[in-house]
């Protein structure tokens, strides 16, 4: 039998995440969004939020209890991220989902020694922000999905082994989330330039104070105002061999063990879809035309019903992917997680567009939130692989 009810523990977690999002995150997001200063550094405002959320256990929720984590399930993380995504999808994705997912990655792919070392911050109670860098300025990131046995295709960052050290050289794109503010980086580089991408990608753990790693200035984006993205340049960066996660050439395979990244993004986007729906609903109940609230005009009412239905459908697809991540991780990684991410983002974009429409002229003004929802939703199209690439990937496993 399928039970869609949340347990009492999950209900408590949901309320805790909702309170945190509404009471702590909301005021900070308002300050960032209302500032006209392009130079504003969102991390200065968000750092304390990240620390508080980490103390509440949101970045270590799924880590095993023996490593200091909450020992909870993917569905629990989805519940938390939806609540944060309602208030700000960029905070949910950049700070909480990315750090939670990369911590989990360490428990799946790293040796026991690496787990203890890299995740020591969990027990020490000092929150740690992670970043993961694969994309490069002059290379299509979609090449990561290319199966052609052509060694010229794909990323160029190279890790050359010299004794017990790898020397990393290359540039990562200006889109890399948390670049320049993170405490440590998971950098994907090639360990062989004469082999196809799939056989030559390796993943390295690189603390931020490693010599030779430099960061560009903050990238300006159309939305996701509360997050920070920048280019990374790697100039003879020495990385001890003990910081190679897994074996050389295994990065692609290991990252496939992590459907939670896409599920977390999807859950955050369900939050955005819900926010757009609730915002438009509230407006439609108050705005009066032809002598009655606009929700009483069928053209508006039908739009709102569709927004609610699609949000509910997206949540179910995400929860299904989250449950599958526990029961059948391969199925989650190949089909259900990318499906959830594309669907949830599509619903968020559609709901945001509809919210703009329902708010009439005010929908395009800065004083209302519909424009923020639309910009933030659109960014979901390409973060962590585009919807087309994800769908093409899914087809390989049908
Ligand atoms: C908000 C945000 C956060 C990000 N964070 C990170 C991060 O933390 N770390 C990181 O490394 N990167 C990050 N990125 C980069 C992101 O992963 C890439 O932008 C994304 O995967 C798309 O790659 P691209 O921009 O190189 O587009 P391309 O790969 O150049 O694709 C361009 C277009 O061509 C299409 N296309 C390409 N190849 C094919 C094909 N074979 N068949 C059909 N269509 C194709 C794509 O769907 C797309 O529409 C982030 C991006 C965003 C927007």
């Amino acid at each position: 039998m399928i039970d869609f009810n949340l347990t009492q523990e999950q209900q408590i977690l949901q309320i805790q995440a909702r309170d945190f999002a509404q009471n702590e995150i909301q005021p900070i997001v308002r300050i960032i969004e209302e500032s006209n200063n392009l130079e504003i550094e969102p991390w200065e405002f968000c750092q304390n939020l990240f620390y508080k959320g980490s103390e509440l256990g949101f970045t270590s929720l799924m880590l095993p209890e023996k490593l200091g984590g909450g020992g909870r399930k993917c569905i629990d993380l989805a519940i938390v991220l939806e609540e944060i995504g309602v208030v700000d999808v960029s905070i949910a994705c950049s700070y909480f989902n990315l750090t939670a997912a990369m911590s989990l990655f360490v428990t799946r792919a790293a040796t026991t020694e690496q787990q203890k070392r890299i995740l020591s911050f969990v027990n020490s109670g000092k929150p740690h922000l992670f970043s993961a860098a694969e994309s490069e300025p002059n290379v299509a990131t979609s090449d990561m999905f290319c199966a052609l046995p052509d060694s010229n295709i794909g990323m160029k960052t190279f890790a050359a082994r010299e004794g017990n050290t790898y020397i990393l050289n290359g540039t990562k794109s200006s889109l890399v989330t948390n670049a320049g503010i993170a405490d440590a980086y998971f950098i994907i580089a090639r360990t062989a330039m004469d082999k196809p991408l799939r056989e030559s990608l390796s993943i390295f753990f690189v603390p931020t104070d490693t010599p030779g790693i430099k960061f560009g200035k903050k990238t300006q984006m159309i939305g996701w105002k509360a997050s920070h993205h920048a280019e990374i340049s790697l100039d003879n960066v020495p990385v001890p061999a003990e910081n190679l996660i897994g074996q050389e050439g295994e990065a692609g395979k290991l990252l496939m063990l992590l459907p939670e990244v896409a599920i977390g993004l999807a859950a955050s986007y369900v939050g955005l879809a819900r926010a757009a729906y609730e915002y438009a609903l509230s407006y439609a109940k108050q705005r009066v035309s032809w002598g009655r609230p606009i929700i009483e005009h069928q053209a508006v009412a039908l739009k709102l019903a569709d927004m609610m239905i699609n949000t509910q459908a997206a949540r179910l697809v995400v929860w299904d992917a989250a449950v599958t991540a526990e029961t059948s991780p391969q199925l989650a990684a190949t089909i259900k997680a990318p499906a959830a991410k594309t669907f949830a983002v599509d619903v968020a974009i559609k709901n945001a567009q509809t919210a703009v429409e329902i708010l009439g002229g005010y929908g395009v003004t800065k004083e209302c939130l519909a424009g923020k929802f639309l910009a933030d939703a659109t960014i979901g199209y390409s973060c962590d692989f585009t919807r087309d690439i994800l769908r093409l990937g899914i087809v390989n496993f049908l």
Side-chain angles (χ1 to χ4, degrees):
M1 191 174 117
I2 298 174
D3 184 358
F4 291 105
N5 293 315
L6 300 184
T7 63
Q8 200 184 11
E9 223 183 4
Q10 288 169 332
Q11 287 174 31
I12 293 168
L13 183 69
Q14 188 178 46
I15 291 169
Q16 198 180 28
R18 189 173 296 165
D19 286 349
F20 173 64
Q22 304 286 340
N23 300 334
E24 313 256 354
I25 300 181
Q26 183 85 272
I28 298 292
V29 170
R30 205 167 291 136
I31 294 171
I32 296 172
E33 290 284 340
E34 286 172 6
S35 166
N36 286 323
N37 179 1
L38 288 180
E39 298 305 316
I40 194 171
E41 175 44 73
W43 181 235
E44 279 174 20
F45 295 87
C46 294
Q47 190 166 11
N48 278 338
L49 289 178
F50 177 70
Y51 288 178
K52 278 190 193 169
S54 296
E55 279 156 20
L56 288 169
F58 297 160
T59 53
S60 54
L61 207 58
M62 288 185 68
L63 297 185
E65 283 165 298
K66 66 174 190 262
L67 290 169
R72 303 285 287 257
K73 300 207 181 304
C74 188
I75 187 88
D76 300 315
L77 187 63
I79 289 167
V80 168
L81 290 170
E82 177 180 328
E83 295 305 324
I84 300 178
V86 167
V87 172
D88 191 89
V89 79
S90 65
I91 289 180
C93 295
S94 298
Y95 302 128
F96 291 105
N97 185 45
L98 185 51
T99 298
M102 292 321 293
S103 304
L104 194 59
F105 172 72
V106 174
T107 69
R108 303 252 167 94
T111 63
T112 311
E113 181 281 318
Q114 287 173 328
Q115 289 180 23
K116 280 201 185 124
R117 182 160 46 90
I118 297 173
L119 299 176
S120 61
F121 68 89
V122 182
N123 274 325
S124 75
K126 191 181 175 307
H128 221 59
L129 185 68
F130 282 148
S131 171
E134 61 213 20
S135 61
E136 298 186 357
N138 299 314
V139 176
T141 317
S142 307
D143 283 350
M144 292 276 285
F145 277 62
C146 180
L148 293 174
D150 181 347
S151 62
N152 291 315
I153 292 176
M155 71 174 63
K156 303 289 178 268
T157 297
F158 186 57
R161 180 143 193 174
E162 292 181 9
N164 276 337
T165 305
Y166 286 89
I167 307 295
L168 270 58
N169 278 290
T171 308
K172 294 296 175 185
S173 89
S174 60
L175 291 165
V176 175
T177 306
N178 300 339
I181 60 169
D183 297 294
Y185 296 79
F186 292 86
I187 295 190
I188 304 185
R190 289 177 81 165
T191 35
M193 295 308 288
D194 54 352
K195 287 187 188 167
L197 205 60
R198 289 197 169 179
E199 297 164 32
S200 61
L201 291 181
S202 306
I203 184 156
F204 297 91
F205 176 71
V206 184
T208 194
D209 53 4
T210 309
I213 183 164
K214 291 205 186 88
F215 306 98
K217 68 178 175 60
K218 183 171 87 78
T219 304
Q220 299 296 341
M221 298 206 292
I222 59 168
W224 277 41
K225 298 287 183 208
S227 64
H228 180 109
H229 308 258
E231 189 172 275
I232 304 179
S233 68
L234 303 156
D235 183 11
N236 287 319
V237 176
V239 180
E242 62 186 19
N243 282 9
L244 169 70
I245 311 273
Q247 303 296 316
E248 284 189 11
E250 275 193 345
K253 195 177 92 188
L254 294 176
L255 289 168
M256 280 296 282
L257 298 173
L258 204 61
E260 287 84 357
V261 180
I263 296 171
L265 286 168
S268 309
Y269 270 89
V270 172
L272 172 44
R274 190 177 111 200
Y277 157 64
E278 287 171 354
Y279 195 72
L281 177 67
S282 162
Y283 187 82
K285 285 179 176 171
Q286 288 161 29
R287 182 70 168 174
V288 174
S289 91
W290 294 15
R292 47 191 170 139
I294 60 171
I295 194 172
E296 291 180 21
H297 300 304
Q298 280 191 348
V300 176
L302 290 174
K303 286 187 182 74
L304 287 163
D306 282 345
M307 290 168 95
M308 186 282 290
I309 294 166
N310 288 333
T311 306
Q312 174 68 1
R315 183 181 298 113
L316 290 180
V317 171
V318 173
W319 284 9
D320 175 48
V323 171
T324 308
E326 311 288 342
T327 56
S328 180
Q330 191 74 13
L331 177 63
T334 52
I335 297 179
K336 293 207 174 179
K341 194 238 161 182
T342 55
F343 188 66
V345 170
D346 283 354
V347 169
I349 293 173
K350 186 79 189 96
N351 276 10
Q353 280 169 344
T354 311
V356 170
E357 223 179 311
I358 290 176
L359 268 92
Y362 296 103
V364 296
T365 65
K366 281 256 182 187
E367 74 191 57
C368 91
L369 286 178
K372 165 183 162 53
F373 294 145
L374 188 53
D376 286 351
T378 308
I379 286 177
Y381 162 76
S382 58
C383 70
D384 205 36
F385 304 114
T386 67
R387 71 189 297 279
D388 286 351
I389 284 298
L390 289 177
R391 290 184 308 144
L392 288 169
I394 289 172
V395 170
N396 291 327
F397 298 95
L398 296 181

